[in-house]
Amino acid sequence: MAREAGLSPATVLDVRRRLARGDDPVPAGLTRTGALGGPAEQQPPPARRGPAPDPQAILRHLRDDPALRSSETGRDLLRWLHAQAPSHDRSTALLSHSPPHCRERIADLAEVYAEGWYALAKRLRSPDAPATPHPRPTPRTPHRHRPRGSTP
């Protein structure tokens, strides 16, 4: 049905999820145009003031932050952020071997993910974003080291 309407399945799924949550079906950064809220047009993100930050440097800085390292939730966040970091070489290698008939769907998925990341960045930078408490440190169980050659 999505294809008959000229929409990608990823877009339809995204709109369904937004409506189920009670959100606006048009993502932040997109606007309705035309009669009766016709097709949406992509609005470019605001221009960056200066060079783009180095993602690896940001990840290293976050990894070294005791507030993140000292809790299970913080460590989960660090692992998740690390897993989300795109590798240009890896993505180029993977995408160069993707079947041509899948590329449009992959592009749709990349756009949906990018919109989600952009919305997340805006929400994190919003002055009226709800304050969340810092995660409390999770108690760690000390590891007992056995001398080499000893048996349990």
Side-chain angles (χ1 to χ4, degrees):
M1 191 149 83
R3 293 206 191 289
E4 290 175 19
L7 300 170
S8 76
T11 300
V12 172
L13 179 62
D14 182 55
V15 169
R16 280 185 185 163
R17 287 181 179 160
R18 287 173 185 282
L19 290 172
R21 289 190 311 256
D23 294 345
D24 187 340
V26 179
L30 295 179
T31 58
R32 292 185 173 105
T33 61
L36 303 174
E41 271 184 23
Q42 180 70 35
Q43 297 295 315
R48 183 174 298 281
R49 291 182 231 158
D54 175 16
Q56 293 304 316
I58 293 170
L59 284 170
R60 278 192 303 275
H61 179 76
L62 291 171
R63 186 188 63 220
D64 294 340
D65 189 311
L68 294 173
R69 289 183 17 206
S70 64
S71 73
E72 188 63 35
T73 305
R75 291 188 297 274
D76 285 345
L77 175 62
L78 291 170
R79 283 188 289 271
W80 181 74
L81 288 170
H82 181 73
Q84 303 304 314
S87 163
H88 179 70
D89 294 339
R90 180 157 166 71
S91 63
T92 300
L94 289 171
L95 294 175
S96 68
H97 293 94
S98 66
H101 69 276
C102 293
R103 291 185 180 176
E104 186 65 29
R105 289 184 184 155
I106 294 168
D108 289 340
L109 196 56
E111 287 175 349
V112 170
Y113 288 168
E115 289 168 4
W117 276 105
Y118 181 69
L120 175 64
K122 281 181 62 174
R123 193 170 67 224
L124 289 168
R125 289 190 171 114
S126 172
D128 58 330
T132 56
H134 291 286
R136 286 193 280 194
T138 306
R140 293 186 182 189
T141 305
H143 296 287
R144 295 187 180 178
H145 297 283
R146 289 189 210 116
R148 285 190 175 172
S150 67
T151 55

